Amino acid sequence: MLIGRLNHVAIVVPDLAAAASTYARTLGAKVSEPVDLPLHGVTTVFVELPNTKIELLYPLGEDSPIAPFLEKNPSGGMHHVCYEVDDIYAARDQLQAEGARVLGDGEPRPGAHDKPVLFLHPKDFCGTLVELEQV
Ligand code: CO
């Protein structure tokens, strides 16, 4: 099996404080303070659930990669799912051999948890942007 646990679901939101409050107060979840990730052009609030995490994403800076998503989805929406893999290079090579497209230059980069991540083309995965994270 190539993929393991669901590491997180990422949701782009138009108002990070309001979204954090929705998860903390309305849904009763444990949420972090906002964390700026300049390398990824996002500010994130992490929501801890018993079996996975939710990452609330808000654009950071002029060239945020999620700014166009928020323009198309002004009330926010699900952005990607992240699956865990044991070996990100082996996973990438196997997926590319199957014809799947890896975004960018195909080299893993440190993700939100400082572990190597890759993104896979949504058109190859049921219309969903997929992040792989080596754990
Ligand atoms: Co992610």
Side-chain angles (χ1 to χ4, degrees):
M1 189 165 68
L2 194 142
I3 60 167
R5 294 174 66 244
L6 174 68
N7 184 276
H8 61 268
V9 175
I11 300 172
V12 173
V13 301
D15 181 334
L16 200 51
S21 173
T22 296
Y23 271 84
R25 292 187 195 171
T26 312
L27 295 172
K30 186 177 168 195
V31 307
S32 76
E33 291 298 312
V35 179
D36 287 344
L37 301 171
L39 185 65
H40 296 275
V42 296
T43 302
T44 295
V45 166
F46 298 98
V47 181
E48 272 183 51
L49 302 181
N51 64 339
T52 191
K53 295 185 283 282
I54 305 296
E55 292 183 4
L56 305 173
L57 304 178
Y58 183 79
L60 174 67
E62 292 293 305
D63 302 320
S64 173
I66 62 168
F69 182 93
L70 201 50
E71 275 164 33
K72 274 186 234 147
N73 306 274
S75 50
M78 203 203 78
H79 187 259
H80 65 267
V81 294
C82 177
Y83 300 124
E84 297 181 355
V85 296
D86 290 330
D87 181 334
I88 202 157
Y89 289 98
R92 177 196 64 187
D93 294 348
Q94 186 180 331
L95 287 163
Q96 285 180 327
E98 306 264 352
R101 286 166 284 181
V102 176
L103 299 187
D105 63 6
E107 286 306 307
R109 302 214 190 291
H113 318 104
D114 280 327
K115 296 183 175 147
V117 304
L118 281 175
F119 285 91
L120 306 175
H121 201 295
K123 288 199 171 139
D124 297 333
F125 294 94
C126 314
T128 305
L129 179 61
V130 172
E131 179 180 19
L132 299 179
E133 181 174 303
Q134 181 173 298
V135 293

